[in-house]
Amino acid sequence: MLTFLWKFTFFNFLIISCCHNYVDNPDKPAIAKYFNTKGRYEEVNPYLIEDILAVNRSILQPPSANCQEIHLTAIIRHGKRYPTIKNVKEMQQLYNIVLHNASGQESWLREIQTQWTMWYTEDMDGRLVQKGVNDHKHLAVRLSKLFPSLISEEKLRGGFIKFITSSKHRCVNSTLSFKAGLTELWAITDKEFDHEVNDALMRFFDQCTRFVQEVDNNPSALSEVDKFKQGPEMRRVTEKIADRLRVPYNNITQDMTEAAFYLCAYEFAIKAVNSPWCQLFDEDDAKVMEYASDLTEFWKRGYGYDINSKSSCILFHDVFNRLNKAASENKSGQQVTEAVTVQVGHADTLLPLLTLLGFFNDSDALTSTNYATQTQRSFRTSHMLPYAANLLLVLYDCGGGDLRLQPLLNEKPVTFPGLTDQQASMPLYQDVKDHYRELLQGCDFEMECQLFKSPA
């Protein structure tokens, strides 16, 4: 295994001193696989727990040995981060209740009250943590092993790898970490590599007026989420937490229940410890918490409203423009000028695009009343969108004008929904374009995102 010399002098990075003395704990919470967007990448790919740089090129399975990769677009979520200000405030409220009102002799409760301290502070506000730096360094190395002809020192030095990022500090620092993974791998010290900040592409949701007004800033858009949070499943979880803490039911709010779940998740993601906070939940509780989060993502970023996915039209077209350019250059015998595009954004960047492409579309919508029948749903953010989640689109030249496109999600091949031929995992690029013809001919960001005036 390659050993990295971690260097943080290349960017201003917030490291909180309280974490330095923690040693990774091999034990993990029994509920770790339900942490939705707060989950570790390693829960999605458990083999990485043994070897964080492990890859298996046989999963690519091109239809012919003649197939050569000519372009890779990688759309990647930032790495592990600290809680946001909102989360920290809710955690503090819960901690005060546990510290001053909870009673009992359980060891986990005594540990919270006598040993654990509220070390999360508002100035952390979603910043990348050290393990988030590692997420992207390791991912960079794995992708260089998975696609060695594209992600190579020669291609990097030659300017054939382009980096684009959201302006948020956690994304910029993830981008810097990805680049550092490559430069440290090849011991490059004589050159630096630029990146482009582009919120129009990586934070399109902020710039889509119709989405902002009709969904993001519209409380009624999440009515199904509100109903579920007031429903019997969530009420039971909250009451069980109150029972475990021996406090009145009205002491524990829905926000505190969420804060407790996030405390367990963040402690595991940031410190790799099985926190005493995790003892407030059993597996049934965790499934309910996961569903509540999925319900929010479904209605706010997924299939709940058409504008959720249509807000990503600008990124959709950008991806296919890059693929078309690579295909055109390759056809004319030129060297592909942009062999790799690395685009770093958010879960809120990836989910609308995955939705637009038709991934994880269950037959029944997620609602406040069908929790019991959604246990086998494919729309599960714990599997789709952990920290450092990534959508890879790899364009292959298989000879004789035979171009093929392979999608991978979190380094695993997936199938474009609706393409079901025998080579659906690596279909003809033309078939992919035919399949998405309506979106390619339409899906105009400006048109979709403008607010239509009501008739006078």
Side-chain angles (χ1 to χ4, degrees):
M1 180 185 294
L2 292 170
T3 301
F4 292 102
L5 297 176
W6 307 122
K7 298 177 182 178
F8 298 99
T9 55
F10 62 93
F11 61 87
N12 293 326
F13 181 72
L14 178 64
I15 295 293
I16 303 301
S17 60
C18 67
C19 305
H20 288 179
N21 296 324
Y22 275 88
V23 178
D24 283 359
N25 187 336
D27 295 331
K28 72 177 182 179
I31 60 174
K33 63 182 178 180
Y34 303 109
F35 285 160
N36 48 71
T37 60
K38 307 299 185 289
R40 302 190 311 172
Y41 194 77
E42 294 90 329
E43 306 317 310
V44 174
N45 292 317
Y47 62 88
L48 296 176
I49 295 172
E50 295 297 321
D51 180 0
I52 197 62
L53 300 179
V55 297
N56 179 9
R57 294 202 80 235
S58 67
I59 64 170
L60 301 178
Q61 295 182 331
S64 163
N66 296 326
C67 295
Q68 299 293 322
E69 306 110 335
I70 61 171
H71 175 80
L72 164 66
T73 284
I75 303 171
I76 311 171
R77 185 190 177 199
H78 59 75
K80 300 180 186 77
R81 63 168 175 81
Y82 288 113
T84 59
I85 291 175
K86 177 179 180 290
N87 292 152
V88 171
K89 288 180 177 178
E90 292 166 355
M91 292 171 179
Q92 183 65 60
Q93 290 176 346
L94 174 66
Y95 179 57
N96 290 339
I97 291 285
V98 175
L99 200 59
H100 302 296
N101 300 92
S103 61
Q105 296 303 312
E106 291 86 351
S107 59
W108 59 268
L109 179 57
R110 291 200 305 274
E111 184 178 347
I112 292 174
Q113 291 178 325
T114 64
Q115 299 177 37
W116 195 87
T117 57
M118 179 58 191
W119 63 274
Y120 298 101
T121 57
E122 293 183 19
D123 63 350
M124 293 175 175
D125 193 25
R127 292 184 180 275
L128 200 69
V129 300
Q130 186 169 343
K131 288 184 182 296
V133 170
N134 297 352
D135 283 338
H136 276 254
K137 285 190 172 187
H138 294 150
L139 178 60
V141 175
R142 291 198 304 273
L143 293 185
S144 74
K145 294 167 69 175
L146 203 55
F147 305 107
S149 65
L150 292 178
I151 303 182
S152 65
E153 181 177 0
E154 180 185 5
K155 288 283 198 294
L156 181 63
R157 285 186 176 275
F160 297 103
I161 301 179
K162 183 172 184 178
F163 299 93
I164 301 172
T165 178
S166 152
S167 64
K168 287 289 184 179
H169 42 66
R170 55 185 170 273
C171 296
V172 172
N173 287 342
S174 291
T175 304
L176 293 169
S177 301
F178 191 100
K179 289 191 286 186
L182 298 181
T183 56
E184 291 174 10
L185 173 63
W186 299 315
I188 298 175
T189 58
D190 60 330
K191 190 172 183 179
E192 294 185 356
F193 303 94
D194 294 334
H195 61 262
E196 172 191 343
V197 175
N198 190 331
D199 282 345
L201 285 180
M202 308 316 295
R203 292 185 62 83
F204 50 76
F205 42 86
D206 281 344
Q207 303 183 27
C208 181
T209 305
R210 186 173 151 224
F211 168 76
V212 170
Q213 294 203 19
E214 293 184 1
V215 181
D216 203 25
N217 290 343
N218 179 10
S220 66
L222 297 184
S223 59
E224 287 297 315
V225 179
D226 295 334
K227 290 175 189 174
F228 185 73
K229 288 185 175 181
Q230 300 302 320
E233 294 92 356
M234 278 296 292
R235 188 183 313 119
R236 182 61 186 136
V237 174
T238 301
E239 290 174 351
K240 285 166 71 175
I241 288 177
D243 287 341
R244 290 177 178 122
L245 295 173
R246 296 177 180 83
V247 298
Y249 288 165
N250 61 6
N251 277 21
I252 304 299
T253 65
Q254 296 293 341
D255 286 344
M256 288 182 190
T257 300
E258 182 180 81
F261 194 64
Y262 284 166
L263 274 167
C264 175
Y266 278 116
E267 295 279 280
F268 185 52
I270 297 172
K271 301 179 184 177
V273 297
N274 189 350
S275 169
W277 291 104
C278 301
Q279 299 305 311
L280 287 170
F281 299 90
D282 59 30
E283 188 170 19
D284 289 338
D285 302 330
K287 290 177 180 178
V288 173
M289 298 302 295
E290 181 192 42
Y291 188 76
S293 177
D294 286 349
L295 199 57
T296 300
E297 297 296 340
F298 182 89
W299 289 98
K300 196 166 186 177
R301 305 291 179 183
Y303 290 99
Y305 300 101
D306 185 58
I307 189 58
N308 294 349
S309 61
K310 293 295 177 60
S311 67
S312 71
C313 286
I314 189 170
L315 180 58
F316 171 85
H317 283 296
D318 179 75
V319 167
F320 276 93
N321 287 341
R322 293 176 194 281
L323 292 168
N324 286 339
K325 182 183 178 186
S328 176
E329 289 174 341
N330 182 72
K331 183 178 180 180
S332 65
Q334 302 175 46
Q335 183 173 14
V336 174
T337 53
E338 197 170 303
V340 180
T341 311
V342 176
Q343 299 174 281
V344 180
H346 309 263
D348 295 347
T349 308
L350 273 168
L351 184 52
L353 181 62
L354 290 171
T355 303
L356 188 69
L357 293 171
F359 288 100
F360 309 108
N361 191 7
D362 298 298
S363 55
D364 295 322
L366 275 65
T367 71
S368 58
T369 58
N370 63 359
Y371 167 73
T373 61
Q374 288 283 8
T375 56
Q376 301 303 312
R377 67 188 181 279
S378 65
F379 191 93
R380 205 171 224 112
T381 55
S382 296
H383 299 169
M384 298 152 53
L385 296 168
Y387 293 118
N390 51 85
L391 173 65
L392 310 177
L393 296 170
V394 192
L395 189 64
Y396 289 83
D397 181 353
C398 295
D402 182 2
L403 292 181
R404 292 182 175 270
L405 185 66
Q406 181 172 42
L408 298 95
L409 184 67
N410 300 327
E411 300 173 74
K412 292 179 285 193
V414 290
T415 302
F416 285 112
L419 289 177
T420 55
D421 63 44
Q422 291 182 344
Q423 295 177 339
S425 65
M426 197 179 289
L428 290 170
Y429 180 47
Q430 187 60 49
D431 287 350
V432 177
K433 291 194 291 184
D434 290 344
H435 181 63
Y436 292 114
R437 179 179 287 113
E438 286 189 18
L439 290 173
L440 288 167
Q441 293 176 348
C443 201
D444 182 274
F445 180 82
E446 298 298 331
M447 288 287 292
E448 296 290 348
C449 290
Q450 69 180 352
L451 280 172
F452 295 98
K453 294 181 179 179
S454 301

